[in-house]
Amino acid sequence: MSWQATVLTLFPEMFPGPLGLSLAGRALNEGTWSCAPHDLRPHGLGRHRAVDDTPFGGGAGMVIRADVVDAALSAVQAPADVPRVFMTPRGRPLRQRDVSRYAEGPGVVLLCGRFEGVDERVLQARNIEQVSIGDYVLSGGETAALVLLDACVRLLPGVMGSDESGVEESFSDGLLEYPHYTRPAVWDGHDVPEVLLSGNHGAIAAWRQKQAEEITRERRPDLWSAWLARREENEATAAGLSGQTRHTGV
């Protein structure tokens, strides 16, 4: 079965958008994944199919109604094990581990907000995850949904040319990726690092690891601190297992 992306949106024509091109587009045409945009508007109320209303407590803007979202979620009838995700700047940051979890499952249902957001009650009642792609505000959740889908689709089996492409890249092991070089070996007076021309795979791997660590430490101290903590924890666990093995005489 293909990986199923269902998108609840007021602008279904935005999908698959750029994901209909390149590797994601080829995978879409081959049936590796599918994209089913579902229009929220038909679930609106009254002659004008209103989907929003003024916020209780006052304030600017409008809020998408809980009953409208609930009806749309019921209409798509996604299996219970498919994550429901609301794209919002007030959600938790999207991480590579989240992307991997979504990609390993049967698919995802994405809710794209507009206006001031969505009534909180339906998010809680439907156990909808709230996810953010960054500390900024967009006009709506559609662009954020495309980002999440792109990150997921590229991890599906057969989408990328090499399985290693998804392993040796930023965030796969908690570090940012090492720099890359290709021909010519000398460009504008700048040389490719000599170790990459040596053919010594061990030395190349060590150089790349060192570069990844240095770049992460300089550019993302938050990731660096977390990576150090995990490394120390793993080393402590390994030391404890080693000591236990010696104690039992194994």
Side-chain angles (χ1 to χ4, degrees), residues 100-243:
S100 298
R101 173 168 60 89
Y102 297 145
E104 290 169 359
V108 66
V109 175
L110 299 180
L111 172 60
C112 301
R114 283 273 160 173
F115 318 121
E116 292 301 310
V118 171
D119 190 308
E120 187 71 18
R121 291 170 295 182
V122 70
L123 301 177
Q124 296 178 354
R126 286 286 196 154
N127 194 30
I128 298 175
E129 301 179 33
Q130 300 188 45
V131 173
S132 170
I133 64 167
D135 296 338
Y136 44 84
V137 179
L138 301 171
S139 298
E142 288 79 13
T143 304
L146 288 169
V147 169
L148 187 149
L149 291 178
D150 182 83
C152 291
V153 169
R154 63 189 302 275
L155 295 184
L156 299 179
V159 175
M160 290 189 289
S162 169
D163 291 338
E164 293 181 358
S165 297
V167 176
E168 295 184 0
E169 59 185 12
S170 293
F171 311 115
S172 59
D173 63 353
L175 297 173
L176 298 181
E177 193 175 11
Y178 52 80
H180 297 275
Y181 300 85
T182 188
R183 293 179 177 85
V186 179
W187 173 80
D188 197 26
H190 300 280
D191 296 333
V192 169
E194 186 175 349
V195 64
L196 299 180
L197 307 176
S198 68
N200 186 329
H201 298 294
I204 291 173
W207 179 87
R208 286 175 169 171
Q209 177 67 22
K210 182 179 179 181
Q211 290 292 310
E213 292 176 6
E214 291 181 354
I215 290 172
T216 304
R217 183 176 63 251
E218 293 173 1
R219 302 179 185 176
R220 291 292 301 274
D222 56 327
L223 293 179
W224 177 247
S225 297
W227 184 80
L228 286 178
R230 285 195 299 272
R231 186 176 69 174
E232 292 175 359
E233 181 180 352
N234 292 337
E235 290 175 350
T237 301
L241 291 175
S242 177

